[in-house]
Amino acid sequence: MGWSEAAPFHSPTYLDESAGSVFYNVSKIFGPHVVGREYDTAAHLNKRLSIFKGNSFAKAAIEIAWWTLQSAITGTPLHRLLGGHARELPMGAAFDVQPTIDALLAKIQGAVDQGYPRIKLKAAPGWDLEMLRAVRAAFPKTTFHIDCNSGYTLDDLPLFKAMDSLGLVFIEQPLHYADILDHAELARSIQTPVCLDESIVSVKAAQQALQIGACKYINIKPSRIGGLANALAVHNMAADAGVPVWIGGMVESGIAISISLELATLPNFTYPGDLAPPARFFKDDLADSPPQMSSSLTMSPATGRLPGPNPGRLAELTKCHETVK
Ligand code: MG
């Protein structure tokens, strides 16, 4: 038995997939196409899935299960199958848009007091330069980056130029969710590095982004990029280009977080990750024994089997299910 998790949002507000589209594609289209065959490698499975365009979350739901199943069958920790080595992984803190700048400063103070190695701030039109200037004035030495979730266009170039004096590590996904050309132009026009998240939905997208210099960092989310084989390919390609990667997450249970921790043991995951114990999002996590954060604000890959769902909680929380034969 192997478990995986794809966690697009309920509605297509992050990318163009949603919980409903993923459920439909996995249960009605992709699932029936892949069951009843043998797959020696993830590449073999991905080749079978490659007649379907896009839909990286739905593909990841199937592909990641191949890896966790392979890990269970061979008794090999997933990080070793992926080529990683068990290590403690530093995690950063993240803060959404807050009601006031004072409220944000108080939250940042809490994270600084706890010793988080870096802090991510969500930025959006109306919550950007003034906020960042206040934050930098209050915390001159703290490591920050901002995540714009595609909220801006190239018309905002003066805004991004003004941010150059604020010492951000990078600006994450400032422009359109499917763009790399404008990001490359922005990257040439400002000093602060650009990081891509939403735009990197495939190995091809990553390859082209690196080729044209659209980013100096890449956020890797296994389910956004179509699974772990793609994540590995992007990790290696970025390493060859001298571009560090870091692990990100969706609103995920301990099942997906555990899988991402295995991936993040690979050597080019050098910037502190964005995984947190699932308690950040859920009162009761779906996973039995979800991963925890240590007092040094690190998380570690599983020493044995990956956690599966707690059967009772799974039954209680299930909205719909489908058997594919
Ligand atoms: Mg992001």
Side-chain angles (χ1 to χ4, degrees), residues 14 120 122 147 149 172-173 197-198 219 221 246:
Y14 171 72
K120 172 176 96 170
K122 288 284 182 181
D147 186 3
N149 291 109
E172 182 180 351
Q173 195 70 37
D197 173 356
E198 280 91 329
N219 176 331
K221 297 174 179 170
W246 56 294

Side-chain angles (χ1 to χ4, degrees), residues 31-297:
H33 187 70
V34 300
V35 295
R37 288 163 184 269
E38 297 288 330
Y39 301 98
D40 295 334
T41 61
H44 185 195
L45 173 63
N46 281 337
K47 188 155 190 291
R48 177 86 184 151
L49 283 168
S50 67
I51 62 160
F52 305 118
K53 306 297 183 282
N55 290 285
S56 50
F57 278 94
K59 286 176 182 166
I62 294 174
E63 197 259 11
I64 293 171
W66 183 90
W67 286 96
T68 59
L69 189 56
Q70 186 72 0
S71 167
I73 290 169
T74 61
T76 314
L78 179 57
H79 60 265
R80 238 190 286 152
L81 285 184
L82 294 166
H85 296 282
R87 61 183 171 109
E88 302 259 293
L89 301 159
M91 293 298 151
F95 297 113
D96 240 317
V97 175
Q98 301 294 316
T100 63
I101 287 176
D102 281 347
L104 177 66
L105 295 179
K107 292 207 163 184
I108 293 172
Q109 187 64 59
V112 168
D113 292 345
Q114 286 177 74
Y116 275 96
R118 64 96 182 131
I119 295 171
K120 172 176 96 170
L121 302 171
K122 288 284 182 181
W127 183 262
D128 41 38
L129 199 53
E130 190 194 343
M131 173 276 285
L132 287 171
R133 282 182 173 143
V135 166
R136 189 43 98 199
F139 300 94
K141 295 220 168 82
T142 305
T143 302
F144 291 105
H145 78 261
I146 55 167
D147 186 3
C148 307
N149 291 109
S150 311
Y152 297 88
T153 70
L154 274 183
D155 292 344
D156 299 302
L157 183 57
L159 173 83
F160 292 116
K161 281 190 166 165
M163 288 179 190
D164 273 341
S165 61
L166 294 168
L168 300 172
V169 179
F170 54 75
I171 296 173
E172 182 180 351
Q173 195 70 37
L175 311 178
H176 190 275
Y177 69 90
D179 166 83
I180 56 168
L181 281 182
D182 286 357
H183 281 102
E185 189 175 336
L186 179 67
R188 280 193 298 273
S189 311
I190 60 174
Q191 285 157 20
T192 312
V194 169
C195 169
L196 288 178
D197 173 356
E198 280 91 329
S199 293
I200 308 297
V201 290
S202 65
V203 177
K204 186 80 181 168
Q207 195 177 28
Q208 294 187 333
L210 292 170
Q211 197 178 322
I212 65 169
C215 60
K216 290 206 179 90
Y217 287 83
I218 294 179
N219 176 331
I220 291 185
K221 297 174 179 170
S223 67
R224 188 207 64 227
I225 208 162
L228 292 168
N230 286 357
L232 269 182
V234 172
H235 166 276
N236 295 341
M237 200 184 286
D240 289 345
V243 166
V245 300
W246 56 294
I247 193 80
M250 302 296 295
V251 180
E252 292 167 330
S253 84
I255 297 170
I257 292 170
S258 300
I259 292 165
S260 290
L261 285 170
E262 304 286 313
L263 175 68
T265 61
L266 282 145
N268 195 34
F269 282 89
T270 51
Y271 188 69
D274 222 5
L275 301 176
R280 172 169 149 196
F281 297 124
F282 304 110
K283 186 161 72 73
D284 294 312
D285 189 56
L286 186 60
D288 261 335
S289 60
Q292 302 300 322
M293 195 173 256
S294 76
S295 54
S296 55
L297 306 177

